């Protein structure tokens, strides 16, 4: 049985890499077609897609009454993504960081982490806490979509203004 476990692990990793590649290509293509920024797609579609393994793991752990595994999975994943994944990516190639990410998304991520800490101080995350966190996620996603549409429209308006004078002079 030992070798079967290794085959499953390696097979799962291969499928994870292939799936990740398809997800990034598909999300980037979707962003272009819909006129959305790639940052928005990364903060929504790619984030949800890449978080599915954590979701399934945490739900299964919660069902099996292993709340510590569910909680540790999410907190550990957040730390691992920020320190390891981002660190390795920056070692491979310098990452150009959009100023919006620093001004808006990083404080939101820190705020969400602090909120999780505050909600956990009583030693549990209740159904109400979970509903509150989920509602904040929905509100954040709506905010991102509305913001992206405004920025896209503003860019179109600016582009149209630059084109108009050159056409008038021709």
């Amino acid at each position: 049985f030992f070798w079967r476990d290794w085959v499953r692990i390696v097979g799962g990793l291969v499928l994870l890499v292939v799936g990740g590649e398809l997800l990034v290509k598909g999300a980037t293509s979707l962003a272009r077609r819909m006129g959305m920024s790639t940052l928005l797609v990364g903060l929504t579609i790619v984030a949800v897609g890449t978080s599915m393994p954590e979701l399934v793991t945490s739900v299964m752990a919660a069902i099996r009454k292993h709340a510590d595994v569910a909680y540790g999975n999410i907190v550990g994943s957040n730390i691992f993504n920020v320190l390891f994944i981002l660190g390795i990516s920056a070692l491979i190639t310098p990452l150009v960081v959009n100023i919006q990410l620093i001004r808006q998304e990083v404080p939101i991520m820190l705020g969400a982490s602090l909120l999780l800490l505050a909600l956990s101080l009583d030693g549990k995350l209740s159904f109400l806490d979970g509903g509150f966190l989920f509602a904040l996620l929905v509100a954040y996603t709506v905010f991102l979509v509305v913001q992206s549409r405004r920025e896209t429209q503003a860019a179109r308006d600016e582009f149209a203004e630059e084109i108009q004078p050159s056409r008038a002079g021709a």
Side-chain angles (χ1 to χ4, degrees):
F1 293 106
F2 180 73
W3 65 271
R4 286 184 188 168
D5 294 334
W6 279 105
V7 168
R8 288 180 181 152
I9 289 171
V10 171
L13 289 173
V14 167
L15 290 173
L16 187 62
V17 169
V18 170
E21 185 67 24
L22 292 172
L23 176 67
V24 170
K25 285 182 180 180
T28 304
S29 175
L30 179 67
R32 285 189 193 124
R33 284 190 209 148
M34 295 181 69
M36 297 167 44
S37 72
T38 52
L39 178 62
L40 173 67
V41 172
L43 289 169
T44 55
I45 298 167
V46 174
V48 169
T50 58
S51 295
M52 282 301 135
E54 285 103 343
L55 175 64
V56 171
T57 301
S58 295
V59 168
M60 293 307 296
I63 289 170
R64 294 179 180 153
K65 308 287 188 218
H66 296 290
D68 51 341
V69 172
Y71 194 83
N73 178 40
I74 298 306
V75 173
S77 177
N78 190 20
I79 293 169
F80 186 80
N81 284 335
V82 170
L83 300 179
F84 185 76
I85 304 297
L86 201 54
I88 292 293
S89 298
L91 282 173
I92 293 169
T93 184
L95 302 176
V96 177
V97 180
N98 186 324
I99 195 69
Q100 176 187 347
L101 193 67
I102 296 168
R103 289 186 180 156
Q104 180 176 301
E105 310 315 327
V106 170
I108 289 171
M109 182 182 73
L110 290 172
S113 297
L114 291 173
L115 177 61
L116 179 61
L117 173 66
L119 293 174
S120 302
L121 289 176
D122 63 356
K124 66 177 181 166
L125 285 175
S126 68
F127 181 82
L128 187 61
D129 294 337
F132 180 62
L133 291 170
F134 185 74
L136 286 176
L137 172 66
V138 170
Y140 172 68
T141 303
V142 168
F143 166 74
L144 286 176
V145 170
V146 168
Q147 181 183 40
S148 178
R149 287 184 178 164
R150 283 185 187 152
E151 289 173 1
T152 300
Q153 187 59 47
R156 285 182 186 151
D157 293 346
E158 183 178 332
F159 182 73
E161 288 173 11
E162 291 177 10
I163 298 269
Q164 292 298 346
S166 65
R167 285 187 181 171

